[in-house]
Amino acid sequence: MSTTTETPFKVADLDLADEGRRLIDWAESRMPVLMSLREKFAQEQPLAGQRIAGCLHVTKETAVLIRTLKAAGAEVAWSGCNPLSTNDAVAAALAEEDIRIYAWYGQDVDAFYWSIDRTLDFRPTLTLDDGADLIFRVHAKHPGLFEDIIGGSEETTTGVHRLRAMADDGKLAYPVIAVNDAETKWDFDNVYGTGQSSLDGILRATSVLFAGKNFVVAGYGHCGKGCAMRAKGAGAHVIATEVKATAALKALLEGVQVMPMDEAAKVGDIFLTATGMKDILVKRHFETMKDGAIVSNTGHYDCEINLTDLNEMTVSKRTLRDNCVEHTLADGRRIYLLAEGRLVNLAAAEGHPSEVMDMSFANQFQAMMMLAREGKDLANGVHELPEELDQEIARIKLEAMGIGLDQLTEDQVLYATDYSQGT
Ligand code: ADE
């Protein structure tokens, strides 16, 4: 661990700080909503006195969020929420900005939890998560911190599901805001963010042609839908696998072929898991895949592709390109695993574009503000952000894009609830 002035940190290489600052500048130029929140609250300092511990991918977009939290008065400590998603240049720049940052690309599991623990040394009043590992860690190892913690926020669908289960069992010891559930988060980040960044990750790791390929997406939730949409646009034949009838029907009506994975495994050229569930691709699938099949994951955890199965079937392995490992099986077939089965969009590319993270992180900022204001009055459980905030975030975004809206007249407003008029 090192220090700048009084601030402790651990990053890969401080010499990368200048490159990191340029990346953050680029992201700031694409994130008008967060920048307007920064300007609005710089004077008032509504987060003064708050110590925020964050556990979320260390990217240029996250740096814009961190700077905005700091500008509003908070002290911040941070770790990455995935061993392969930290941008080392951005981490170095943040260390030089007196952020207690403990993050580097390629952490092992021990270093991952060591980093989370260092952010907890600073006794946070608020926690900010993507995947809920920080909240789980506080509950499992540091319950003494409950007395200081007012509340937390959670970014992902997977994290929110687990926190709801924890709350239902009466085990969640502080209020958590489900940032994922804001419309300006899930309807944009999950769909367009995941759609573009996952294809970006697959392309950077492989440079293959999508046109004419069978692209199999496991899961047709918001993330799967975005990936299917973009793969279709790139000329692939898209196949979705699903366990939920309504989701399968939506895929079908979007022109996506639907079939069980046992069948899709035999015909797919490129596989992408986007389910949030474990064991989506297992031994019996690898047994029937075509020679040259590419397998990747964009779900939060690295359990969707069963790596134990794949490794047991592998007779030889070699890294062909960054984030692309060739597994040769006993019968000579080759399967290409991307980014060790971790989220391909962050491990092999740069995550979602700044423009969508702008809205996701405006919601994170608003969650911290809400907790600082009224967290002490909220019950221990999972809460949502008020709907008006979605409209405000969308309005600022549209304004920045120079897009105008129509306004209902008073007469039209009355008409909407007038049950005396029919045909
Ligand atoms: N999750 C997905 N994309 C991201 C990004 N660019 N920054 C932080 N978290 C992300």
Side-chain angles (χ1 to χ4, degrees):
M1 203 151 60
S2 315
T3 57
T4 56
T5 59
E6 295 294 291
T7 310
F9 68 88
K10 185 165 164 61
V11 298
D13 182 1
L14 264 193
D15 287 344
L16 299 173
D18 197 44
E19 178 189 338
R21 277 187 288 276
R22 279 182 273 123
L23 288 172
I24 302 168
D25 286 350
W26 172 251
E28 285 186 344
S29 75
R30 320 263 127 193
M31 301 180 80
V33 184
L34 263 189
M35 297 304 281
S36 76
L37 290 169
R38 191 186 294 179
E39 198 183 321
K40 182 167 171 192
F41 293 111
Q43 282 287 318
E44 203 184 305
Q45 298 276 288
L47 295 177
Q50 299 298 340
R51 295 185 300 280
I52 299 176
C55 179
L56 192 149
H57 309 292
V58 178
T59 64
K60 59 193 185 303
E61 291 77 23
T62 301
V64 181
L65 170 64
I66 291 173
R67 283 183 178 176
T68 306
L69 294 167
K70 199 174 158 195
E75 282 183 84
V76 183
W78 214 266
S79 68
C81 66
N82 187 290
L84 294 189
S85 65
T86 292
N87 181 313
D88 286 327
V90 169
L94 289 170
E96 286 200 350
E97 292 179 23
D98 283 342
I99 301 299
R100 294 163 184 261
I101 179 148
Y102 307 91
W104 59 97
Y105 184 91
Q107 287 191 323
D108 62 21
V109 173
D110 287 344
F112 179 81
Y113 285 108
W114 178 87
S115 299
I116 290 183
D117 286 343
R118 296 294 70 73
T119 69
L120 294 174
D121 287 345
F122 141 101
R123 294 196 73 84
T125 55
L126 299 170
T127 64
L128 190 157
D129 257 285
D130 181 340
D133 279 324
L134 179 56
I135 295 180
F136 299 150
R137 188 73 174 173
V138 171
H139 282 70
K141 300 276 183 204
H142 307 277
L145 296 176
F146 290 148
E147 60 192 69
D148 286 8
I149 296 179
I150 301 169
S153 64
E154 169 53 42
E155 172 91 3
T156 58
T157 316
T158 310
V160 168
H161 277 159
R162 291 184 181 189
L163 291 167
R164 288 219 162 92
M166 218 170 145
D168 289 347
D169 287 349
K171 298 273 167 57
L172 187 60
Y174 56 86
V176 178
I177 313 275
V179 166
N180 180 69
D181 295 0
E183 192 180 352
T184 43
K185 197 278 177 182
W186 62 264
D187 222 5
F188 297 89
D189 170 316
N190 301 19
V191 183
Y192 307 99
T194 310
Q196 179 166 321
S197 62
S198 301
L199 256 70
D200 187 9
I202 296 171
L203 284 171
R204 291 195 204 193
T206 63
S207 82
V208 292
L209 179 71
F210 265 67
K213 296 279 193 313
N214 285 334
F215 176 82
V216 179
V217 61
Y220 198 79
H222 296 103
C223 297
K225 177 175 129 185
C227 298
M229 187 166 67
R230 292 299 173 244
K232 209 169 156 190
H237 171 69
V238 181
I239 298 168
T241 68
E242 251 303 336
V243 289
K244 195 173 170 189
T246 48
L249 208 51
K250 285 180 193 169
L252 212 58
L253 270 61
E254 280 295 330
V256 169
Q257 193 177 2
V258 178
M259 61 178 79
M261 186 58 91
D262 284 358
E263 287 172 38
K266 297 176 198 156
V267 296
D269 297 303
I270 305 169
F271 294 82
L272 178 66
T273 55
T275 67
M277 178 49 65
K278 67 175 187 169
D279 292 341
I280 302 304
L281 289 174
V282 295
K283 185 168 183 236
R284 70 174 191 281
H285 301 124
F286 302 130
E287 274 169 350
T288 62
M289 279 182 190
K290 297 198 273 192
D291 178 33
I294 293 166
V295 296
S296 59
N297 163 56
T298 196
H300 187 80
Y301 294 111
D302 62 341
C303 58
E304 304 205 19
I305 302 169
N306 191 316
L307 298 181
T308 310
D309 283 0
L310 182 59
N311 284 324
E312 276 172 11
M313 296 169 72
T314 298
V315 292
S316 71
K317 243 200 250 199
R318 61 180 179 144
T319 300
L320 288 191
R321 310 161 47 94
D322 283 351
N323 292 300
C324 180
V325 172
E326 179 185 71
H327 288 246
T328 303
L329 311 187
D331 60 7
R333 277 178 308 119
R334 291 154 300 177
I335 292 177
Y336 295 92
L337 174 69
L338 307 190
E340 300 174 19
R342 295 195 182 273
L343 356 87
V344 70
N345 60 339
L346 280 140
E350 291 173 67
H352 302 351
S354 309
E355 289 88 339
V356 280
M357 294 316 294
D358 189 23
M359 295 194 287
S360 309
F361 286 165
N363 282 296
Q364 281 287 9
F365 181 85
Q366 293 291 7
M368 293 295 107
M369 294 276 284
M370 178 171 159
L371 289 165
R373 229 175 20 242
E374 57 196 272
K376 291 200 171 84
D377 303 324
L378 292 175
N380 296 343
V382 178
H383 301 264
E384 294 191 0
L385 286 164
E387 210 265 327
E388 310 84 78
L389 273 181
D390 267 327
Q391 296 306 324
E392 190 187 322
I393 289 171
R395 227 180 355 256
I396 303 173
K397 191 76 179 169
L398 286 168
E399 261 170 37
M401 296 162 91
I403 309 281
L405 289 175
D406 283 335
Q407 296 256 334
L408 289 178
T409 62
E410 270 181 37
D411 196 36
Q412 284 176 309
V413 172
L414 287 175
Y415 173 82
T417 52
D418 181 0
Y419 48 85
S420 69
Q421 292 199 43
T423 307

